């Protein structure tokens, strides 16, 4: 009788082990099968995990959330003494919105589960006045041994052009995210900066590459009108932000602005930092050039190429091969590129 | 036990041929000692090691992450392996006493597959959660099986996994896992106690000390010196524990393990404190800057150390124990008290180190004398080694004159030589007395 009871206990313990690993897999498989699928833009960061093999470390646009995305229920904690509501490792929920390519963007962040269909749960990694860093437990993509390096090499080629990776994530009803795959952007982007003898940036050249295997068209508006200059969200912590002055009016896209790129062909767009159209300013301040020395040089910026929406190009020639997506360069600070 | 059985078996034939015992008596003695020949340690060792290495191989195999294998196939493979290993192990374990060892090894393999399954699921679903949690789950699974079977191999695996978990949290996340040393001491220590297993206890105590060290170092912040004081107190508790279990039927077998690790840690810390700079540094603790948790550890360990010694001394005085406390052992609680005073007074240089130098000298001389008197080779040897190491240290920092250094070395050398002579003489005298 004692032995039988003992045997039952052993069987129970063994079954519990099996149940734990089955539950781990089942929970995520449920999300994969029935969850909403979105793509998340990655930022570049190729380590090897001794237990899980090769993996690619991922960083997402939605991992770095600016202050404007926090509604009233989140308070900043800029100093040690400040009474804030957010602690490291605290659970937060990022509400998402997808574009026509099913690429998701962060819309707002809450501390309680939002009553909307599309959101992802994470934990606070770091918290500053103007920036929130969040981990979503989807920061690693495990691949077969050797493939990690291949992915890294594709993401960042020898010619300095980056081909962004978009990770497909299934989202569960409770915000649990599970990586289900990835795809590569059809357009790669590179950045070069020239500097003067005092190491101030003078010009920037953005290179667009057709990374696909078929012809694609990009839009090259005059005076680099296809590009935008944005602050790098990853490094805005407690300092006041410098913003690009922007464009007063948008040029209409015409046939002469369309540039067709064959596979592996590139197109370059040059920006002159001394041109007032590319000045930056603080809220309520005067516009200044990134070429002149000053604190603004401490802040990182990035260029964004935005393909025009289909509605603006449907009557143009080559409209069927125009690329409508968005791609972002590496961050730069002064004349230094990350 | 098997060693004794083998020795007796060899001697029996000689005894019969010398006419010391009859053939019938030989058979009776053989029958008595060959019953329950105890655990087959070789079987445990090889089958246990085999299970662990196989399990690690499986983990690495899946770490290769074959894209060619569909996800569900990978999952079923590992689930199947886990279930099969445990099923086989349980069947063998329950079948007969003879097959229990193999059964235990199969279950150990199953637990290794459990670890492999955790990592595999994490790999398949690209789970990037707080990775030390996986080690915690794995160690919990091993701990469950350790108690369920019961299994010493699982207990050892669990203690190692808890140490690694604690280490990963400390190194990668600077997070102290306060529950880890408690888990080891209470859950695994009690298993070792229940199973009267010196082997498992031999893993439990050092695992506990390592986890405690990691927790303290991570949680102590700017006042890392308090770590040394806590460990000193814990070492004193361990030596007291060795004395307290002396007369306990089941626990007395653990006395030597408590004593070994207690003295080891005590000597290391005491030796460090004989250096003026180290003693001054360690005693210079700003209580206002120490956070609550390390202070709790220090206070609790000091209270426990002094209480344990008070209890031991009380038991010896009231003759509730046959344990005799060697006089030099009283210096251990005295060191705790001296350290407490030092932390309050914060002396400088040699004033800080002097008490520890005196304690070290007294303890080693006491051990050497006791070694001679009781023909206790271990005490004599340990005392001699520590004294020699100590002398070399003071050679470097205390004596400037070569004449003085030379004289000290001669004195120490003669003392050790004399000790050897006395030891032999006492041993011979004791042997002659036994013969009479």
């Amino acid at each position: 009788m004692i032995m039988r009871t003992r045997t039952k206990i052993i069987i129970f313990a063994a079954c519990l082990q099996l149940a734990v690993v089955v539950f781990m897999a089942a929970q995520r498989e449920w999300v994969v099968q029935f969850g909403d699928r979105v793509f998340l833009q990655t930022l570049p960061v190729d380590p090897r995990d001794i237990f899980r093999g090769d993996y690619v470390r991922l960083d997402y646009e939605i991992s770095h959330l600016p202050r404007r995305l926090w509604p009233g229920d989140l308070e900043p904690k800029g100093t040690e003494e400040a009474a804030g509501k957010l602690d490291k490792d605290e659970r937060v929920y990022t509400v998402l919105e997808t574009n026509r390519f099913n690429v998701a963007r962060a819309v707002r962040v809450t501390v309680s589960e939002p009553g909307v269909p599309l959101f992802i749960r994470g934990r606070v990694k770091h918290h500053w006045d103007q920036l929130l860093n969040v981990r979503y437990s989807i920061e690693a993509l495990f691949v077969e041994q050797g493939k990690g390096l291949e992915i890294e090499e594709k993401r960042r080629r020898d010619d300095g052009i980056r081909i962004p990776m978009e990770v497909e994530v299934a989202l569960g009803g409770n915000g649990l995210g599970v990586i289900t795959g990835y795809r590569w952007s059809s357009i790669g982007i590179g950045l070069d900066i020239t500097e003067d003898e005092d190491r101030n940036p003078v010009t920037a050249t953005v290179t667009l590459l057709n990374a696909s295997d078929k012809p694609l068209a990009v839009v090259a508006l005059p005076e680099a009108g296809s590009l935008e200059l944005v602050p790098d969200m990853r490094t805005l912590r407690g300092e006041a932000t410098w913003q690009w002055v922007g464009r007063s009016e948008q040029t209409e896209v015409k046939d002469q602005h369309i540039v067709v790129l064959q596979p592996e062909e590139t197109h370059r767009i040059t920006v002159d930092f001394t041109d007032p159209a590319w000045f930056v300013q603080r809220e309520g301040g005067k516009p200044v050039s990134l070429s002149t020395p000053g604190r603004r040089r401490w802040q990182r910026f990035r260029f964004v190429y935005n393909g025009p929406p289909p509605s603006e190009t449907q009557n143009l020639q080559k409209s069927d091969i125009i690329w409508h997506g968005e791609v972002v360069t590496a961050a730069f600070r002064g004349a230094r590129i990350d | 036990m098997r060693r004794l059985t083998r020795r007796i078996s060899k001697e029996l034939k000689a005894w019969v041929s010398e006419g010391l015992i009859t053939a019938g008596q030989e058979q009776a003695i053989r029958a008595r000692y060959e019953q329950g020949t105890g655990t087959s340690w070789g079987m445990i060792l090889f089958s246990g090691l085999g299970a662990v290495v196989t399990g690690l191989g499986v983990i690495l195999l899946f770490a290769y992450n074959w894209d060619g294998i569909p996800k569900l196939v990978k999952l079923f493979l590992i689930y199947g392996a886990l279930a099969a290993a445990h099923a086989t192990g349980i069947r063998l374990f329950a079948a007969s006493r003879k097959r229990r060892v193999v059964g235990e090894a199969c279950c150990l393999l199953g637990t290794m597959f459990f670890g492999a399954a955790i990592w595999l699921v994490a790999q398949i679903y690209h789970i990037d959660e707080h990775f030390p949690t996986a080690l915690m789950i794995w160690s919990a699974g091993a701990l469950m099986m350790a108690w369920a079977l019961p299994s010493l191999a699982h207990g050892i695996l669990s203690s190692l996994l808890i140490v690694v978990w604690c280490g990963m949290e400390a190194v990668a996340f600077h997070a102290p896992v306060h529950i880890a040393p408690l888990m080891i001491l209470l859950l695994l220590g009690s298993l070792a106690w229940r199973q009267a297993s010196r082997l498992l206890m031999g893993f439990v105590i050092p695992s506990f000390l390592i986890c405690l060290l990691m927790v303290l170092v991570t949680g102590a912040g700017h006042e890392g010196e308090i770590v040394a004081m806590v460990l000193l107190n814990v070492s004193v508790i361990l030596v007291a524990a060795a004395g307290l279990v002396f007369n306990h039927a089941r626990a007395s077998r653990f006395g030597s393990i408590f004593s070994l690790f207690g003295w080891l840690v005590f000597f290391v810390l005491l030796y460090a404190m004989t250096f003026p700079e180290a003693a001054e540094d360690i005693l210079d603790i700003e209580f206002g800057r120490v956070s609550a948790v390390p202070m709790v550890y220090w206070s609790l360990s000091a209270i426990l150390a002094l209480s344990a010694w008070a209890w031991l001394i009380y038991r010896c005085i009231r003759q509730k124990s046959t344990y005799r406390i060697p006089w030099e052992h009283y210096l251990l609680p005295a060191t705790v008290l001296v350290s407490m005073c030092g932390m309050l007074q914060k002396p400088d240089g040699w004033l800080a180190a002097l008490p520890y130098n005196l304690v070290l000298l007294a303890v080693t001389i006491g051990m050497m004398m006791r070694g001679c008197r009781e023909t206790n080779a271990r005490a004599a040897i340990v005392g001699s080694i520590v004294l020699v190491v100590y002398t070399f240290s003071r050679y470097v920092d205390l004596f400037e004159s070569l004449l003085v250094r030379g004289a000290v070395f001669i004195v120490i050398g003669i003392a050790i030589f004399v000790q050897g002579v006395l030891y032999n003489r006492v041993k011979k005298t004791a042997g002659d007395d036994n013969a009479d």
Side-chain angles (χ1 to χ4, degrees):
Chain A
M1 182 64 80
I2 292 172
M3 183 56 79
R4 267 193 246 133
T5 306
R6 167 73 68 195
T7 308
K8 282 179 190 168
I9 292 170
I10 298 167
I11 292 170
F12 174 74
C15 287
L16 202 56
Q17 282 189 4
L18 189 62
V20 163
V21 285
V22 168
F23 174 75
M24 274 175 72
Q27 188 188 35
R28 279 165 173 80
E29 187 62 31
W30 183 270
V31 172
V32 167
Q33 294 299 328
F34 301 108
D36 294 318
R37 300 274 185 114
V38 297
F39 283 92
L40 297 176
Q41 274 270 4
T42 63
L43 301 170
V45 176
D46 193 39
R48 178 165 295 177
D49 185 301
I50 53 167
F51 287 120
R52 293 173 286 183
D54 266 12
Y55 75 106
V56 177
R57 186 132 289 283
L58 302 170
D59 193 17
Y60 299 96
E61 293 279 351
I62 64 166
S63 302
H64 310 277
L65 302 166
R67 182 70 185 87
R68 61 184 165 79
L69 296 184
W70 314 335
D73 60 348
L74 290 183
E75 290 177 9
K77 189 155 73 172
T79 63
E80 293 286 321
E81 291 77 27
K85 283 190 180 179
L86 281 186
D87 289 314
K88 199 173 168 182
D89 278 345
E90 189 165 334
R91 178 64 61 83
V92 293
Y93 300 86
T94 303
V95 177
L96 303 172
E97 196 176 73
T98 54
N99 63 13
R100 55 184 176 273
F101 300 104
N102 205 26
V103 176
R105 290 220 171 172
V107 172
R108 60 187 171 91
V109 184
T110 66
V111 288
S112 51
E113 216 174 285
V116 295
L118 213 57
F119 65 94
I120 184 168
R121 75 181 191 201
R123 290 196 181 272
V124 174
K125 195 173 161 186
H126 296 293
H127 181 193
W128 296 273
D129 271 347
Q130 298 297 322
L131 184 70
L132 187 62
N133 262 88
V134 180
R135 285 187 79 246
Y136 300 101
S137 300
I138 50 170
E139 280 74 20
L141 176 74
F142 295 98
V143 295
E144 193 171 307
Q145 191 177 20
K147 286 220 173 131
L149 196 59
E150 278 177 39
I151 290 175
E152 286 297 332
E153 283 171 355
K154 186 162 182 176
R155 288 213 292 188
R156 199 193 301 260
R157 296 151 45 116
D158 288 339
D159 53 13
I161 293 177
R162 296 170 48 227
I163 302 174
M165 194 165 87
E166 290 164 356
V167 174
E168 187 182 30
V169 176
L171 299 171
N174 58 358
L176 175 67
V178 180
I179 294 178
T180 52
Y182 61 91
R183 68 185 182 192
W184 296 101
S185 170
S186 301
I187 294 287
I189 191 163
L191 176 67
D192 283 299
I193 295 181
T194 59
E195 58 186 26
D196 60 20
E197 56 206 20
D198 295 321
R199 292 186 159 189
N200 299 312
V202 177
T203 63
T205 303
V206 174
T207 305
L208 298 173
L209 163 80
N210 180 359
S212 71
D213 55 4
K214 52 185 197 277
L216 279 179
V218 296
V219 171
L221 295 173
E223 293 174 356
S226 306
L227 299 177
E228 290 176 13
L229 183 65
V230 297
D232 180 26
M233 281 295 119
R234 290 175 296 178
T235 52
L236 289 172
R237 297 177 187 181
E239 301 163 8
T241 60
W242 290 87
Q243 300 281 350
W244 174 47
V245 294
R247 232 170 245 122
S248 52
E249 55 184 54
Q250 190 64 34
T251 310
E252 189 186 336
V253 180
K254 294 186 178 153
D255 283 323
Q256 61 262 35
H257 301 140
I258 307 297
V259 175
V260 176
L261 300 175
Q262 298 301 319
E264 290 296 312
E265 197 179 342
T266 59
H267 174 72
R268 290 184 169 76
I269 306 171
T270 302
V271 165
D272 183 357
F273 288 120
T274 60
D275 183 343
W278 293 100
F279 281 10
V280 293
Q281 69 182 91
R282 264 191 209 169
E283 197 174 326
K286 277 174 56 176
V288 290
S289 169
L290 281 172
S291 293
T292 54
R295 280 180 70 88
R296 73 199 138 278
R297 286 186 49 199
W298 293 9
Q299 183 179 306
R300 283 183 171 80
F301 290 92
R302 296 196 289 171
F303 283 104
V304 181
Y305 168 83
N306 252 312
S311 55
E312 287 182 22
T313 60
Q314 57 194 5
N315 296 321
L316 298 175
Q317 292 175 14
K318 311 283 182 189
S319 61
D320 54 325
I321 59 168
I322 292 176
W323 189 72
H324 301 286
E326 177 189 284
V327 70
V328 185
T329 66
F332 65 94
R333 185 175 65 177
R336 205 178 117 188
I337 303 169
D338 284 352
Chain B
M1 187 67 179
R2 283 182 78 84
R3 206 186 297 165
L4 175 65
T5 309
R6 275 198 302 273
R7 191 150 173 208
I8 290 174
S9 186
K10 271 187 206 166
E11 295 293 322
L12 280 171
K13 287 197 173 73
W15 294 345
V16 168
S17 62
E18 288 168 21
L20 294 168
I21 58 173
T22 64
Q25 285 169 329
E26 181 204 352
Q27 292 307 319
I29 294 170
R30 270 192 203 284
R32 179 188 167 83
Y33 284 99
E34 281 171 7
Q35 248 177 31
T37 45
T39 319
S40 168
W41 287 112
M43 189 63 172
I44 289 176
L45 189 68
F46 288 114
S47 54
L49 271 177
V52 167
V53 172
T54 304
L56 285 174
V58 169
I59 290 174
L60 291 170
L61 207 65
F62 283 113
Y64 179 69
N65 202 354
W66 290 331
D67 282 348
I69 304 178
K71 162 175 68 173
L72 283 176
V73 171
K74 283 186 207 172
L75 285 172
F76 278 115
L77 267 173
I78 193 66
Y79 291 158
L82 196 167
H86 275 314
T88 308
I90 293 168
R91 203 176 164 81
L92 287 169
F93 197 85
S96 70
R97 218 178 152 74
K98 271 189 189 171
R99 293 181 180 175
R100 285 186 99 167
V101 171
V102 180
E104 190 179 333
C106 287
C107 285
L108 184 67
L109 185 64
T111 302
M112 290 302 294
F113 286 154
F114 174 58
I118 294 171
W119 297 112
L120 179 69
V121 170
Q123 184 197 68
I124 289 172
Y125 292 100
H126 308 287
I127 299 173
D128 192 32
E129 301 272 359
H130 190 72
F131 70 88
T133 306
L135 286 159
M136 182 199 75
I137 297 172
W138 192 3
S139 65
L143 186 61
M144 247 184 349
M145 289 301 289
W147 272 95
L149 282 163
S151 163
L152 303 182
H154 276 89
I156 293 169
L157 176 65
S158 183
S159 71
L160 293 173
L161 288 172
I162 292 173
V163 170
V164 174
W165 165 44
C166 193
M168 293 278 192
E169 289 277 10
V171 169
F173 299 95
H174 306 290
V177 185
H178 299 288
I179 198 168
L182 275 176
M183 276 173 74
I184 289 176
L185 202 61
L186 296 177
L187 297 176
L188 288 168
S190 55
L191 179 64
W193 185 286
R194 206 178 140 93
Q195 298 302 116
S197 169
R198 285 168 50 86
L199 176 65
L200 183 54
M201 190 62 84
F203 274 89
V204 164
I205 299 298
S207 300
F208 166 74
L209 290 170
I210 292 169
C211 279
L212 185 64
L213 175 66
M214 286 191 285
V215 164
L216 289 170
V217 165
T218 318
H222 297 290
E223 295 295 323
E225 296 82 10
I226 203 149
V227 175
M229 291 289 100
V230 174
L231 289 175
L232 185 78
N233 296 341
V234 169
S235 68
V236 171
I237 295 170
L238 282 171
V239 177
L244 286 166
V245 301
F246 187 77
N247 284 119
H248 195 279
R250 183 189 282 267
S252 58
R253 64 190 63 210
F254 302 132
S256 57
I257 295 171
F258 295 155
S259 183
L260 168 68
F261 287 105
W263 279 109
L264 185 65
V265 175
F266 182 75
F267 270 131
V268 167
L269 290 169
L270 188 66
Y271 175 72
M273 301 280 283
T274 60
F275 292 88
E277 298 82 8
E280 194 181 316
D281 233 357
I282 289 171
L283 293 174
D284 186 22
I285 295 175
E286 292 294 333
F287 288 104
R289 288 178 64 183
V290 181
S291 57
V293 173
M295 276 306 294
V296 166
Y297 274 100
W298 176 73
S299 315
L300 205 60
S301 58
I303 292 169
L304 281 172
L306 296 172
S307 304
W309 274 96
W311 182 243
L312 179 63
I313 292 166
Y314 170 77
R315 284 178 61 83
C316 291
I317 290 172
R318 296 298 293 260
Q319 294 182 339
K320 291 184 183 209
S321 169
T322 56
Y323 183 70
R324 294 286 168 261
I325 305 175
W327 67 263
E328 68 271 12
H329 285 204
Y330 287 100
L331 292 168
L332 272 76
T335 307
V336 172
L337 291 167
V338 161
S339 300
M340 287 165 80
C341 295
M343 285 161 74
L344 292 168
Q345 298 297 321
K346 301 188 199 331
D348 296 329
W350 276 104
L351 204 57
L354 184 63
Y356 300 99
N357 280 271
L358 293 174
V359 166
L360 186 65
L361 269 173
V363 167
T364 51
I365 290 169
M367 284 178 104
M368 289 164 71
M369 286 170 62
R370 182 162 56 87
C372 286
R373 194 171 57 243
E374 297 172 9
T375 58
N376 183 335
R378 193 181 297 171
I381 292 168
V382 169
S384 305
I385 291 172
V386 174
L387 184 62
V388 167
V389 170
Y390 175 74
T391 308
F392 272 105
S393 310
R394 295 289 82 82
Y395 171 95
V396 171
D397 62 11
L398 186 60
F399 309 117
E400 286 191 15
S401 160
L402 281 175
L403 177 67
V404 175
R405 285 178 184 177
V408 167
F409 268 73
I410 289 170
V411 166
I412 300 296
I414 290 173
I416 293 174
F417 181 77
V418 168
Q419 178 200 226
V421 170
L422 283 173
Y423 179 89
N424 264 329
R425 191 178 294 175
V426 173
K427 192 172 178 184
K428 201 176 170 193
T429 310
D432 291 341
D433 287 344
N434 284 340
D436 293 341

